[in-house]
Amino acid sequence: MAKKNTILICNGAACISSGEERIKEKLINKLSEKNLTEEVDIIETGCMGPCQFGPLMIVYPEGSFYIKLNEDKIARIVEEHLLKGRPVKEFTWATPESRRIGEEKKQLPFFEKQFKIVLSNCGRIDPDSIEEYIGTGGYEALGKVINEMTPEQVIDEIYKSGLRGRGGAGFPTGLKWKFAREASGNEKYVICNGDEGDPGAFMDRSICEGDPHAVIEGMEIAGYAIGANQGYIYIRAEYPLAVKRLQNSIQQAKKYGLLGKNIFGSSFNFDIEIRMGAGAFVCGEETALIASVEGKRGMPRPRPPFPANHGLWDKPTIINNVETLANIRHIIIKGSNWFNSIGTEKSKGTKVFALSGKVNNTGLVEVPMGITIKELIFNIGGGIPNNKKFKAVQIGGPSGGCIPENSIDVPVDYESLTNLGVIMGSGGLIVLDEDNCMVNMAKFFLDFTVDESCGQCIPCRAGLRQMYNILNRITRGKGELEDIDRLEKLSNIIKKTSLCGLGQTAPNPILTTLKTFRDEYIEHIVEKKCRAHVCRFEDAEVKDKDEKILKVS
Amino acid sequence: MKLEELRQIREKVEKQMRLREGQARIKIIVGMGTSGIAAGAREVLKTFLEEVEKRNLTEVIVTQTGEKGLSSKEPIVIVKEQEKPDIVYGSVTPDIAKRIVAEHIVNGNPVSDYVIEIGA
Ligand SMILES: Cc1cc2nc3c(=O)[nH]c(=O)nc-3n(C[C@H](O)[C@H](O)[C@H](O)COP(=O)(O)O)c2cc1C
């Protein structure tokens, strides 16, 4: 039977943990109680974005966006909206401004400034249905490159689009593909990097969960472009839902002849396998990742040689981030000129961010490059909760740094962020307010990188540990002013001499906070005072990191 | 799979998705207030859904409204078609619903006996 309503219910990981399964069950029961089962379609989608307000669902055709659902609300929505056609306005997401214009999703400030390319299907389609993906133009780009374009034309198109890697470093994707295409050898590989190790980041997971076919199609196009027949998706085992969706999508694509042998009846063959990682941060680094896929211990090696020439099994390999690959199909269909018109002079397209911390609307957002940090936090993010004062935003996770209040007009583009001493990173954004201690925040990230260091090179293994111990002393009121010089000196040495990006960037959170929040460090040392009341000084005993390690083992 | 086959799937699913998001050439809206339900609106709505499915009408959505004060002639049905005035039917039964689909929706001739209002 045709349906009078379609319900899209968010099945992103955040909504699942806030009770989506229970809500769905209640919905199904209540619909059947009212004899509505046949008239209403329920579709579980990937992440819709505003995770803070989960569980979430949208009821069409009205487009009512219901938030913070519980079982009582479901009962009323079924009785009022689904039975009698009266949307329950007070359960919909309405801000003071949007209440006037109704509850429609696209009119909410959270969505207004967003620009969805990569996330266009997330929260809109059933990620377990290849038909729905095809319904949004899916696999059309793959068909186009195979039928109408040479590999060189594909590479040229991606190069001209200005797309840069979304995994952190921002390397031009077209150029990377060109190197791999030109590398000698006829056995080549495509690897999708879904390791996503930054604490608090969930961009790539959400894409894999919400639109898995986009990643697969991007990999196939990459394979066609460089001349590879085999791809690997490297994803952490801690993302079981993403793994399941990807596996299912691979199966479906094979069944439809969109993956495997003779794709679209051509001579192009491409297969994809999933490799699960155990969740070590360093395994996101490309050479460590390759070692891990090969079954070795995940340790980075010096570059050059780069994977484009000597990658997996020593063969030419491209490694691209999930989000990078999810952009590909849109560029092929809409063209490099279209993509090039979005963003800034040197940073094209959009970036997905995971907004978290002290901000009203936490969640997953996609914005055009060039938007300011201020707009991100105060328009899309809805500002700081509880009338607290904004202090800084940490961007780029453990490799990134802090942007203080006087710099939040900075546009989101690779160069502007680098000029501030921070990085674009892969999309983690943690908002900090007056109740966050900057010294303690720096210590938190260093604690993480010390634990995640692979231990291979001395600056990273021993140097970071020394820095951690110094920070630990400072946050316990046992620091001395010379410690600040020591931190700066160690930072500079570690950045210059570490083998891989982990060590080379790990001091960034300390360096950026020392630059703008030096007075907080001095306060801790001289006055034994933490203005955010986070650090405790009464505890006389200070344990060094090594002791913690000893205790564990 | 050939590119043409892919496009066939795409066309079909795209239409379904547009419909479920509320974009349709014709909307059939059944008044579903308490009095509408008492007068048999649920059966009428079901009939519309079945007819739309049976005839594979891909540009039509059937939905309901709870707005009150339409008329005392429940069940009320409004047919909204792009670029045409709204047509309001009163005292609709499942049989009349079938006629509305066959004569009005498919052939474009409103079932005048039951039209109670022609809107803007
Ligand atoms: C310590 C470390 C961790 C990394 N983790 C990731 C990661 O989780 N995901 C990712 O895509 N890139 C990560 N990278 C960057 C990769 O080495 C590589 O540059 C990236 O996958 C290339 O893809 P892109 O050009 O599409 O950005 C990491 C780098 C370092 C040094």
Side-chain angles (χ1 to χ4, degrees), chain A residues 469 472-474 476-478 539-544 547:
Chain A
N469 289 340
N472 196 29
R473 288 205 297 271
I474 294 176
R476 296 298 170 84
K478 300 271 187 271
D539 181 8
E541 205 190 347
V542 180
K543 291 196 185 71
D544 280 355
E547 290 180 41

Side-chain angles (χ1 to χ4, degrees), chain A residues 144-163:
Chain A
K144 181 172 171 184
V145 301
I146 290 177
N147 286 298
E148 296 169 20
M149 295 169 83
T150 64
E152 287 77 13
Q153 283 171 329
V154 175
I155 291 173
D156 200 43
E157 194 66 13
I158 299 300
Y159 183 71
K160 281 193 302 201
S161 76
L163 175 66

Side-chain angles (χ1 to χ4, degrees), chain A residues 314-340:
Chain A
D314 206 29
K315 307 288 187 220
T317 302
I318 52 163
I319 299 197
N320 275 127
N321 168 262
V322 168
E323 188 184 334
T324 313
L325 290 165
N327 270 296
I328 300 297
R329 74 162 176 122
H330 299 282
I331 296 173
I332 295 294
I333 293 298
K334 296 193 181 141
S336 55
N337 282 337
W338 163 79
F339 195 80
N340 216 275

